[in-house]
Short mmCIF file of all heavy atoms in Angstrom, two decimals:
data_model
loop_
_atom_site.label_atom_id
_atom_site.label_comp_id
_atom_site.label_asym_id
_atom_site.label_seq_id
_atom_site.Cartn_x
_atom_site.Cartn_y
_atom_site.Cartn_z
N MET A 1 0.84 -1.19 0.00
CA MET A 1 0.00 0.00 0.00
C MET A 1 0.88 1.25 0.00
O MET A 1 1.87 1.30 0.71
CB MET A 1 -0.90 0.01 1.25
CG MET A 1 -1.68 1.32 1.43
SD MET A 1 -2.50 1.48 3.02
CE MET A 1 -3.95 0.51 2.71
N SER A 2 0.51 2.23 -0.79
CA SER A 2 1.21 3.52 -0.77
C SER A 2 0.76 4.33 0.43
O SER A 2 -0.35 4.15 0.93
CB SER A 2 0.91 4.31 -2.04
OG SER A 2 1.38 3.62 -3.16
N HIS A 3 1.65 5.21 0.88
CA HIS A 3 1.33 6.08 2.01
C HIS A 3 1.69 7.52 1.68
O HIS A 3 2.64 7.76 0.93
CB HIS A 3 2.12 5.66 3.27
CG HIS A 3 1.62 4.41 3.89
ND1 HIS A 3 1.85 3.17 3.35
CD2 HIS A 3 0.90 4.19 5.02
CE1 HIS A 3 1.29 2.25 4.11
NE2 HIS A 3 0.70 2.84 5.13
N ILE A 4 0.96 8.44 2.26
CA ILE A 4 1.39 9.83 2.25
C ILE A 4 2.03 10.10 3.62
O ILE A 4 1.76 9.41 4.60
CB ILE A 4 0.22 10.81 1.99
CG1 ILE A 4 -0.84 10.71 3.10
CG2 ILE A 4 -0.39 10.55 0.62
CD1 ILE A 4 -1.84 11.86 3.06
N LEU A 5 2.91 11.12 3.66
CA LEU A 5 3.56 11.50 4.91
C LEU A 5 2.94 12.80 5.42
O LEU A 5 2.86 13.78 4.67
CB LEU A 5 5.06 11.70 4.69
CG LEU A 5 5.86 12.23 5.90
CD1 LEU A 5 5.86 11.21 7.03
CD2 LEU A 5 7.29 12.56 5.48
N VAL A 6 2.48 12.79 6.65
CA VAL A 6 1.92 13.98 7.28
C VAL A 6 2.77 14.30 8.51
O VAL A 6 3.01 13.42 9.34
CB VAL A 6 0.46 13.77 7.70
CG1 VAL A 6 -0.09 14.98 8.46
CG2 VAL A 6 -0.41 13.48 6.48
N THR A 7 3.23 15.53 8.63
CA THR A 7 3.90 15.95 9.86
C THR A 7 2.96 16.88 10.63
O THR A 7 2.17 17.61 10.04
CB THR A 7 5.23 16.69 9.56
OG1 THR A 7 4.97 17.81 8.71
CG2 THR A 7 6.23 15.76 8.90
N GLY A 8 3.05 16.82 11.94
CA GLY A 8 2.14 17.63 12.76
C GLY A 8 0.72 17.09 12.72
O GLY A 8 -0.25 17.82 12.97
N GLY A 9 0.57 15.81 12.48
CA GLY A 9 -0.75 15.22 12.30
C GLY A 9 -1.53 14.95 13.57
O GLY A 9 -2.61 14.37 13.51
N ALA A 10 -0.99 15.36 14.73
CA ALA A 10 -1.78 15.29 15.97
C ALA A 10 -2.24 16.69 16.38
O ALA A 10 -2.86 16.86 17.43
CB ALA A 10 -0.98 14.64 17.10
N GLY A 11 -1.93 17.68 15.56
CA GLY A 11 -2.35 19.06 15.83
C GLY A 11 -3.73 19.31 15.25
O GLY A 11 -4.40 18.39 14.75
N PHE A 12 -4.15 20.54 15.31
CA PHE A 12 -5.52 20.89 14.92
C PHE A 12 -5.76 20.63 13.44
O PHE A 12 -6.66 19.88 13.06
CB PHE A 12 -5.78 22.36 15.28
CG PHE A 12 -7.17 22.81 14.94
CD1 PHE A 12 -8.26 22.25 15.57
CD2 PHE A 12 -7.38 23.79 13.99
CE1 PHE A 12 -9.55 22.66 15.26
CE2 PHE A 12 -8.66 24.21 13.67
CZ PHE A 12 -9.75 23.64 14.31
N ILE A 13 -4.96 21.24 12.60
CA ILE A 13 -5.16 21.08 11.16
C ILE A 13 -4.77 19.67 10.72
O ILE A 13 -5.49 19.01 9.98
CB ILE A 13 -4.35 22.13 10.38
CG1 ILE A 13 -4.91 23.53 10.67
CG2 ILE A 13 -4.35 21.85 8.89
CD1 ILE A 13 -4.08 24.67 10.11
N GLY A 14 -3.62 19.20 11.22
CA GLY A 14 -3.13 17.89 10.80
C GLY A 14 -4.08 16.76 11.13
O GLY A 14 -4.35 15.89 10.29
N ALA A 15 -4.59 16.74 12.35
CA ALA A 15 -5.48 15.65 12.76
C ALA A 15 -6.78 15.67 11.95
O ALA A 15 -7.27 14.62 11.53
CB ALA A 15 -5.78 15.73 14.25
N ASN A 16 -7.31 16.86 11.74
CA ASN A 16 -8.54 16.93 10.94
C ASN A 16 -8.28 16.51 9.49
O ASN A 16 -9.13 15.87 8.86
CB ASN A 16 -9.13 18.33 11.02
CG ASN A 16 -9.90 18.52 12.31
OD1 ASN A 16 -10.95 17.90 12.51
ND2 ASN A 16 -9.37 19.32 13.21
N PHE A 17 -7.09 16.86 9.00
CA PHE A 17 -6.74 16.41 7.64
C PHE A 17 -6.66 14.88 7.58
O PHE A 17 -7.22 14.26 6.68
CB PHE A 17 -5.40 17.01 7.20
CG PHE A 17 -4.91 16.41 5.92
CD1 PHE A 17 -5.45 16.81 4.71
CD2 PHE A 17 -3.95 15.40 5.92
CE1 PHE A 17 -5.04 16.21 3.51
CE2 PHE A 17 -3.54 14.80 4.73
CZ PHE A 17 -4.08 15.21 3.53
N VAL A 18 -5.96 14.28 8.55
CA VAL A 18 -5.79 12.83 8.54
C VAL A 18 -7.14 12.12 8.65
O VAL A 18 -7.42 11.16 7.92
CB VAL A 18 -4.85 12.39 9.70
CG1 VAL A 18 -4.86 10.88 9.88
CG2 VAL A 18 -3.43 12.89 9.44
N LEU A 19 -7.99 12.60 9.55
CA LEU A 19 -9.31 11.97 9.72
C LEU A 19 -10.14 12.09 8.44
O LEU A 19 -10.79 11.13 8.01
CB LEU A 19 -10.05 12.62 10.89
CG LEU A 19 -9.46 12.32 12.27
CD1 LEU A 19 -10.09 13.23 13.33
CD2 LEU A 19 -9.65 10.86 12.65
N ALA A 20 -10.08 13.25 7.80
CA ALA A 20 -10.85 13.45 6.57
C ALA A 20 -10.28 12.59 5.44
O ALA A 20 -11.03 11.97 4.68
CB ALA A 20 -10.83 14.93 6.18
N TRP A 21 -8.95 12.53 5.36
CA TRP A 21 -8.30 11.76 4.30
C TRP A 21 -8.70 10.27 4.39
O TRP A 21 -9.03 9.64 3.40
CB TRP A 21 -6.79 11.91 4.44
CG TRP A 21 -5.97 11.14 3.44
CD1 TRP A 21 -5.50 9.86 3.58
CD2 TRP A 21 -5.55 11.58 2.15
NE1 TRP A 21 -4.80 9.49 2.47
CE2 TRP A 21 -4.81 10.52 1.57
CE3 TRP A 21 -5.71 12.77 1.43
CZ2 TRP A 21 -4.24 10.62 0.30
CZ3 TRP A 21 -5.14 12.86 0.16
CH2 TRP A 21 -4.42 11.80 -0.37
N LEU A 22 -8.67 9.73 5.60
CA LEU A 22 -8.89 8.30 5.77
C LEU A 22 -10.38 7.93 5.79
O LEU A 22 -10.73 6.75 5.83
CB LEU A 22 -8.20 7.80 7.04
CG LEU A 22 -6.66 7.78 6.93
CD1 LEU A 22 -6.04 7.37 8.26
CD2 LEU A 22 -6.19 6.83 5.83
N ARG A 23 -11.24 8.94 5.75
CA ARG A 23 -12.67 8.66 5.60
C ARG A 23 -12.93 7.97 4.25
O ARG A 23 -13.88 7.21 4.11
CB ARG A 23 -13.46 9.97 5.69
CG ARG A 23 -14.63 9.88 6.65
CD ARG A 23 -15.23 11.24 6.92
NE ARG A 23 -14.67 11.85 8.11
CZ ARG A 23 -14.35 13.13 8.26
NH1 ARG A 23 -14.55 13.98 7.27
NH2 ARG A 23 -13.86 13.57 9.38
N ASP A 24 -12.07 8.27 3.29
CA ASP A 24 -12.15 7.61 1.98
C ASP A 24 -11.44 6.26 2.10
O ASP A 24 -10.22 6.20 2.25
CB ASP A 24 -11.47 8.49 0.93
CG ASP A 24 -11.39 7.82 -0.44
OD1 ASP A 24 -11.83 6.66 -0.58
OD2 ASP A 24 -10.88 8.47 -1.37
N LYS A 25 -12.20 5.20 2.04
CA LYS A 25 -11.64 3.86 2.26
C LYS A 25 -10.68 3.44 1.16
O LYS A 25 -9.96 2.44 1.31
CB LYS A 25 -12.77 2.82 2.39
CG LYS A 25 -13.65 3.07 3.61
CD LYS A 25 -12.86 3.02 4.91
CE LYS A 25 -13.71 3.33 6.13
NZ LYS A 25 -12.90 3.68 7.31
N THR A 26 -10.67 4.16 0.04
CA THR A 26 -9.76 3.81 -1.06
C THR A 26 -8.48 4.66 -1.03
O THR A 26 -7.61 4.49 -1.88
CB THR A 26 -10.43 4.00 -2.43
OG1 THR A 26 -10.68 5.39 -2.64
CG2 THR A 26 -11.75 3.23 -2.50
N ALA A 27 -8.38 5.57 -0.06
CA ALA A 27 -7.24 6.49 -0.01
C ALA A 27 -5.96 5.76 0.41
O ALA A 27 -6.01 4.74 1.10
CB ALA A 27 -7.53 7.62 0.98
N ASP A 28 -4.82 6.31 -0.02
CA ASP A 28 -3.53 5.81 0.46
C ASP A 28 -3.47 5.93 1.97
O ASP A 28 -4.16 6.75 2.57
CB ASP A 28 -2.38 6.64 -0.15
CG ASP A 28 -2.19 6.36 -1.63
OD1 ASP A 28 -2.66 5.32 -2.12
OD2 ASP A 28 -1.56 7.21 -2.29
N GLY A 29 -2.62 5.10 2.59
CA GLY A 29 -2.43 5.18 4.03
C GLY A 29 -1.69 6.46 4.43
O GLY A 29 -1.23 7.23 3.58
N VAL A 30 -1.58 6.68 5.73
CA VAL A 30 -0.93 7.88 6.25
C VAL A 30 0.17 7.48 7.24
O VAL A 30 -0.09 6.74 8.19
CB VAL A 30 -1.94 8.78 7.00
CG1 VAL A 30 -1.23 9.97 7.66
CG2 VAL A 30 -3.02 9.28 6.04
N VAL A 31 1.38 7.96 6.98
CA VAL A 31 2.44 7.90 7.98
C VAL A 31 2.44 9.27 8.65
O VAL A 31 2.66 10.29 7.98
CB VAL A 31 3.81 7.59 7.36
CG1 VAL A 31 4.91 7.69 8.41
CG2 VAL A 31 3.80 6.19 6.74
N ASN A 32 2.16 9.28 9.93
CA ASN A 32 1.93 10.52 10.67
C ASN A 32 3.04 10.71 11.71
O ASN A 32 3.19 9.90 12.62
CB ASN A 32 0.56 10.41 11.35
CG ASN A 32 0.12 11.67 12.05
OD1 ASN A 32 0.89 12.62 12.17
ND2 ASN A 32 -1.11 11.67 12.53
N VAL A 33 3.83 11.78 11.54
CA VAL A 33 4.93 12.05 12.46
C VAL A 33 4.63 13.35 13.20
O VAL A 33 4.42 14.40 12.57
CB VAL A 33 6.27 12.21 11.70
CG1 VAL A 33 7.41 12.49 12.67
CG2 VAL A 33 6.57 10.96 10.89
N ASP A 34 4.55 13.26 14.51
CA ASP A 34 4.24 14.46 15.29
C ASP A 34 5.15 14.53 16.51
O ASP A 34 5.42 13.53 17.17
CB ASP A 34 2.78 14.44 15.74
CG ASP A 34 2.32 15.80 16.23
OD1 ASP A 34 2.79 16.26 17.29
OD2 ASP A 34 1.51 16.43 15.52
N LYS A 35 5.62 15.74 16.82
CA LYS A 35 6.53 15.93 17.95
C LYS A 35 5.82 15.89 19.30
O LYS A 35 6.45 15.85 20.36
CB LYS A 35 7.23 17.30 17.77
CG LYS A 35 8.47 17.49 18.61
CD LYS A 35 9.13 18.82 18.25
CE LYS A 35 10.41 19.03 19.06
NZ LYS A 35 11.03 20.32 18.72
N LEU A 36 4.49 15.91 19.25
CA LEU A 36 3.64 15.93 20.45
C LEU A 36 4.06 17.02 21.43
O LEU A 36 4.35 16.77 22.60
CB LEU A 36 3.61 14.55 21.13
CG LEU A 36 2.85 13.46 20.33
CD1 LEU A 36 2.85 12.14 21.08
CD2 LEU A 36 1.43 13.89 19.99
N THR A 37 4.10 18.23 20.90
CA THR A 37 4.26 19.41 21.75
C THR A 37 2.95 19.64 22.49
O THR A 37 2.01 18.85 22.37
CB THR A 37 4.56 20.66 20.88
OG1 THR A 37 3.41 20.93 20.08
CG2 THR A 37 5.79 20.44 19.98
N TYR A 38 2.85 20.77 23.20
CA TYR A 38 1.60 21.12 23.90
C TYR A 38 0.41 21.12 22.93
O TYR A 38 -0.74 20.91 23.35
CB TYR A 38 1.73 22.52 24.54
CG TYR A 38 1.71 23.62 23.51
CD1 TYR A 38 0.52 24.26 23.16
CD2 TYR A 38 2.88 23.99 22.84
CE1 TYR A 38 0.49 25.23 22.18
CE2 TYR A 38 2.86 24.96 21.87
CZ TYR A 38 1.66 25.57 21.53
OH TYR A 38 1.63 26.51 20.56
N ALA A 39 0.69 21.37 21.65
CA ALA A 39 -0.40 21.50 20.67
C ALA A 39 -0.86 20.16 20.12
O ALA A 39 -1.93 20.07 19.53
CB ALA A 39 0.04 22.39 19.52
N GLY A 40 -0.06 19.14 20.31
CA GLY A 40 -0.42 17.83 19.76
C GLY A 40 -1.23 17.02 20.74
O GLY A 40 -0.95 17.00 21.94
N ASN A 41 -2.25 16.36 20.25
CA ASN A 41 -3.10 15.54 21.11
C ASN A 41 -3.37 14.21 20.42
O ASN A 41 -4.17 14.13 19.47
CB ASN A 41 -4.40 16.28 21.42
CG ASN A 41 -5.28 15.51 22.39
OD1 ASN A 41 -4.95 14.38 22.77
ND2 ASN A 41 -6.38 16.10 22.79
N ARG A 42 -2.72 13.19 20.91
CA ARG A 42 -2.84 11.86 20.30
C ARG A 42 -4.29 11.35 20.36
O ARG A 42 -4.71 10.57 19.50
CB ARG A 42 -1.90 10.92 21.06
CG ARG A 42 -1.80 9.51 20.58
CD ARG A 42 -1.03 9.39 19.29
NE ARG A 42 -0.97 8.02 18.82
CZ ARG A 42 -1.96 7.39 18.19
NH1 ARG A 42 -3.11 8.00 17.97
NH2 ARG A 42 -1.81 6.15 17.76
N LYS A 43 -5.04 11.81 21.37
CA LYS A 43 -6.41 11.31 21.55
C LYS A 43 -7.34 11.71 20.41
O LYS A 43 -8.34 11.04 20.17
CB LYS A 43 -6.99 11.81 22.88
CG LYS A 43 -6.37 11.15 24.09
CD LYS A 43 -7.01 11.66 25.37
CE LYS A 43 -6.30 11.09 26.59
NZ LYS A 43 -6.63 11.84 27.81
N THR A 44 -7.01 12.78 19.71
CA THR A 44 -7.87 13.18 18.59
C THR A 44 -7.82 12.14 17.47
O THR A 44 -8.68 12.15 16.60
CB THR A 44 -7.47 14.55 18.02
OG1 THR A 44 -6.11 14.47 17.57
CG2 THR A 44 -7.60 15.64 19.05
N LEU A 45 -6.83 11.26 17.52
CA LEU A 45 -6.68 10.24 16.49
C LEU A 45 -7.13 8.87 16.99
O LEU A 45 -6.90 7.86 16.32
CB LEU A 45 -5.22 10.18 16.03
CG LEU A 45 -4.67 11.48 15.45
CD1 LEU A 45 -3.15 11.44 15.41
CD2 LEU A 45 -5.24 11.73 14.06
N ALA A 46 -7.76 8.83 18.15
CA ALA A 46 -8.12 7.55 18.79
C ALA A 46 -9.02 6.69 17.89
O ALA A 46 -8.93 5.46 17.91
CB ALA A 46 -8.81 7.79 20.13
N SER A 47 -9.84 7.33 17.09
CA SER A 47 -10.75 6.56 16.23
C SER A 47 -9.99 5.78 15.16
O SER A 47 -10.57 4.91 14.50
CB SER A 47 -11.78 7.49 15.57
OG SER A 47 -11.13 8.42 14.73
N LEU A 48 -8.70 6.08 15.00
CA LEU A 48 -7.89 5.37 13.99
C LEU A 48 -7.02 4.29 14.62
O LEU A 48 -6.22 3.66 13.92
CB LEU A 48 -7.00 6.38 13.25
CG LEU A 48 -7.73 7.48 12.47
CD1 LEU A 48 -6.72 8.46 11.87
CD2 LEU A 48 -8.60 6.88 11.38
N ASP A 49 -7.17 4.06 15.91
CA ASP A 49 -6.28 3.11 16.60
C ASP A 49 -6.30 1.72 15.98
O ASP A 49 -5.30 1.02 16.00
CB ASP A 49 -6.65 3.02 18.10
CG ASP A 49 -6.09 4.19 18.88
OD1 ASP A 49 -5.31 4.98 18.31
OD2 ASP A 49 -6.44 4.31 20.07
N ASP A 50 -7.44 1.32 15.45
CA ASP A 50 -7.55 -0.02 14.85
C ASP A 50 -7.47 0.02 13.33
O ASP A 50 -7.76 -0.99 12.68
CB ASP A 50 -8.86 -0.68 15.29
CG ASP A 50 -8.89 -0.93 16.79
OD1 ASP A 50 -7.82 -1.23 17.35
OD2 ASP A 50 -9.97 -0.80 17.39
N ASP A 51 -7.08 1.18 12.80
CA ASP A 51 -7.00 1.33 11.35
C ASP A 51 -5.55 1.19 10.91
O ASP A 51 -4.72 2.06 11.17
CB ASP A 51 -7.55 2.71 10.95
CG ASP A 51 -7.75 2.83 9.44
OD1 ASP A 51 -7.03 2.15 8.69
OD2 ASP A 51 -8.63 3.62 9.04
N SER A 52 -5.24 0.07 10.26
CA SER A 52 -3.85 -0.22 9.88
C SER A 52 -3.32 0.73 8.82
O SER A 52 -2.12 0.74 8.54
CB SER A 52 -3.72 -1.66 9.39
OG SER A 52 -4.54 -1.85 8.26
N ARG A 53 -4.19 1.55 8.22
CA ARG A 53 -3.72 2.51 7.21
C ARG A 53 -3.08 3.72 7.86
O ARG A 53 -2.48 4.54 7.17
CB ARG A 53 -4.90 2.97 6.33
CG ARG A 53 -5.56 1.83 5.57
CD ARG A 53 -6.79 2.33 4.85
NE ARG A 53 -7.71 2.95 5.80
CZ ARG A 53 -8.61 3.88 5.48
NH1 ARG A 53 -8.70 4.32 4.25
NH2 ARG A 53 -9.41 4.38 6.40
N HIS A 54 -3.23 3.85 9.19
CA HIS A 54 -2.65 4.99 9.91
C HIS A 54 -1.49 4.52 10.77
O HIS A 54 -1.66 3.72 11.69
CB HIS A 54 -3.72 5.64 10.80
CG HIS A 54 -3.22 6.82 11.57
ND1 HIS A 54 -3.24 6.88 12.94
CD2 HIS A 54 -2.66 7.98 11.16
CE1 HIS A 54 -2.73 8.05 13.33
NE2 HIS A 54 -2.38 8.72 12.27
N VAL A 55 -0.29 5.01 10.44
CA VAL A 55 0.92 4.63 11.17
C VAL A 55 1.45 5.89 11.84
O VAL A 55 1.81 6.86 11.17
CB VAL A 55 1.98 4.05 10.22
CG1 VAL A 55 3.19 3.59 11.00
CG2 VAL A 55 1.39 2.92 9.39
N PHE A 56 1.46 5.88 13.18
CA PHE A 56 1.81 7.09 13.93
C PHE A 56 3.18 6.95 14.59
O PHE A 56 3.48 5.94 15.22
CB PHE A 56 0.76 7.36 15.01
CG PHE A 56 1.00 8.64 15.76
CD1 PHE A 56 0.55 9.84 15.25
CD2 PHE A 56 1.70 8.64 16.96
CE1 PHE A 56 0.78 11.03 15.92
CE2 PHE A 56 1.94 9.83 17.64
CZ PHE A 56 1.48 11.02 17.12
N PHE A 57 4.01 7.98 14.41
CA PHE A 57 5.30 8.03 15.10
C PHE A 57 5.38 9.34 15.88
O PHE A 57 5.17 10.42 15.31
CB PHE A 57 6.46 8.02 14.10
CG PHE A 57 6.62 6.74 13.35
CD1 PHE A 57 6.09 6.62 12.07
CD2 PHE A 57 7.28 5.65 13.90
CE1 PHE A 57 6.23 5.43 11.36
CE2 PHE A 57 7.43 4.46 13.20
CZ PHE A 57 6.90 4.36 11.92
N ALA A 58 5.66 9.23 17.17
CA ALA A 58 5.96 10.43 17.95
C ALA A 58 7.41 10.79 17.65
O ALA A 58 8.31 9.95 17.80
CB ALA A 58 5.76 10.17 19.43
N ASP A 59 7.65 12.01 17.15
CA ASP A 59 9.00 12.45 16.80
C ASP A 59 9.91 12.25 18.00
O ASP A 59 9.55 12.58 19.13
CB ASP A 59 8.97 13.93 16.39
CG ASP A 59 10.26 14.37 15.74
OD1 ASP A 59 11.08 13.49 15.40
OD2 ASP A 59 10.44 15.58 15.57
N GLY A 60 11.08 11.71 17.78
CA GLY A 60 11.98 11.38 18.87
C GLY A 60 12.11 9.88 19.01
O GLY A 60 13.04 9.37 19.60
N TYR A 61 11.13 9.15 18.45
CA TYR A 61 11.13 7.69 18.48
C TYR A 61 11.51 7.11 17.13
O TYR A 61 11.43 5.92 16.94
CB TYR A 61 9.78 7.15 18.92
CG TYR A 61 9.48 7.51 20.36
CD1 TYR A 61 8.76 8.67 20.66
CD2 TYR A 61 9.95 6.72 21.39
CE1 TYR A 61 8.51 9.01 21.97
CE2 TYR A 61 9.70 7.06 22.71
CZ TYR A 61 8.98 8.20 22.98
OH TYR A 61 8.73 8.55 24.29
N LEU A 62 11.88 8.00 16.17
CA LEU A 62 12.23 7.50 14.84
C LEU A 62 13.65 6.96 14.83
O LEU A 62 14.48 7.42 15.57
CB LEU A 62 12.09 8.63 13.81
CG LEU A 62 10.66 9.10 13.54
CD1 LEU A 62 10.70 10.28 12.58
CD2 LEU A 62 9.83 7.98 12.96
N1 NAD B 1 -10.42 24.49 18.37
C1 NAD B 1 -9.89 25.36 17.52
O1 NAD B 1 -10.56 26.10 16.83
C2 NAD B 1 -8.39 25.38 17.37
C3 NAD B 1 -7.60 24.53 18.13
C4 NAD B 1 -6.22 24.55 17.95
C5 NAD B 1 -5.67 25.42 17.00
N2 NAD B 1 -6.48 26.25 16.30
C6 NAD B 1 -5.92 27.15 15.27
O2 NAD B 1 -5.34 26.32 14.26
C7 NAD B 1 -4.17 26.98 13.75
C8 NAD B 1 -2.93 26.14 13.99
O3 NAD B 1 -3.18 24.79 13.68
P1 NAD B 1 -2.00 23.86 13.28
O4 NAD B 1 -2.58 22.49 13.12
O5 NAD B 1 -1.22 24.49 12.15
O6 NAD B 1 -1.02 23.92 14.54
P2 NAD B 1 -1.12 23.17 15.90
O7 NAD B 1 -0.24 23.99 16.80
O8 NAD B 1 -2.51 22.89 16.30
O9 NAD B 1 -0.42 21.77 15.61
C9 NAD B 1 0.91 21.66 15.24
C10 NAD B 1 1.30 20.19 15.41
O10 NAD B 1 2.64 20.04 14.95
C11 NAD B 1 3.38 19.31 15.90
N3 NAD B 1 4.78 19.68 15.73
C12 NAD B 1 5.40 20.83 16.11
N4 NAD B 1 6.71 20.79 15.74
C13 NAD B 1 6.90 19.59 15.13
C14 NAD B 1 8.04 18.96 14.53
N5 NAD B 1 9.24 19.55 14.50
N6 NAD B 1 7.87 17.73 13.98
C15 NAD B 1 6.68 17.12 14.02
N7 NAD B 1 5.56 17.66 14.56
C16 NAD B 1 5.68 18.89 15.11
C17 NAD B 1 2.77 19.65 17.22
O11 NAD B 1 3.02 18.67 18.20
C18 NAD B 1 1.28 19.75 16.87
O12 NAD B 1 0.65 18.50 16.96
C19 NAD B 1 -4.06 28.30 14.49
O13 NAD B 1 -4.70 29.28 13.71
C20 NAD B 1 -4.82 28.03 15.78
O14 NAD B 1 -5.30 29.21 16.35
C21 NAD B 1 -7.82 26.22 16.46
#
């Protein structure tokens, strides 16, 4: 499967982008890299926890 790369994907714009992108079941997967600063909230992506098309990396763990 092809993937797109999203940085800052636990932030306001990024998380909404990722959720909207993956609403399309035919869309490429998402590799999401976020530094999880005060602005990042992993919980906004909780609905994707069981979605294998979403691969999340907290920056610093790469
Ligand atoms: N509820 C709301 O209406 C609401 C909430 C939050 C923000 N906003 C607005 O949204 C706009 C900003 O949104 P945004 O999504 O651009 O910013 P954001 O600050 O919401 O998110 C930025 C994301 O990038 C991450 N990040 C920072 N440095 C990084 C790095 N080096 N590598 C990887 N990830 C990194 C942060 O952890 C965070 O998750 C502003 O206008 C703000 O006022 C609105």
Side-chain angles (χ1 to χ4, degrees):
M1 172 190 279
S2 297
H3 287 74
I4 62 167
L5 175 65
V6 175
T7 57
F12 181 65
I13 294 172
N16 280 292
F17 171 78
V18 170
L19 291 169
W21 178 270
L22 289 176
R23 229 170 266 140
D24 175 358
K25 296 300 177 197
T26 67
D28 288 341
V30 175
V31 174
N32 185 352
V33 180
D34 195 291
K35 196 175 182 181
L36 290 181
T37 65
Y38 72 93
N41 184 355
R42 183 73 181 79
K43 288 182 185 163
T44 59
L45 300 164
S47 63
L48 299 176
D49 281 352
D50 296 325
D51 191 332
S52 61
R53 299 174 304 155
H54 181 239
V55 183
F56 184 84
F57 293 98
D59 192 12
Y61 293 93
L62 291 176

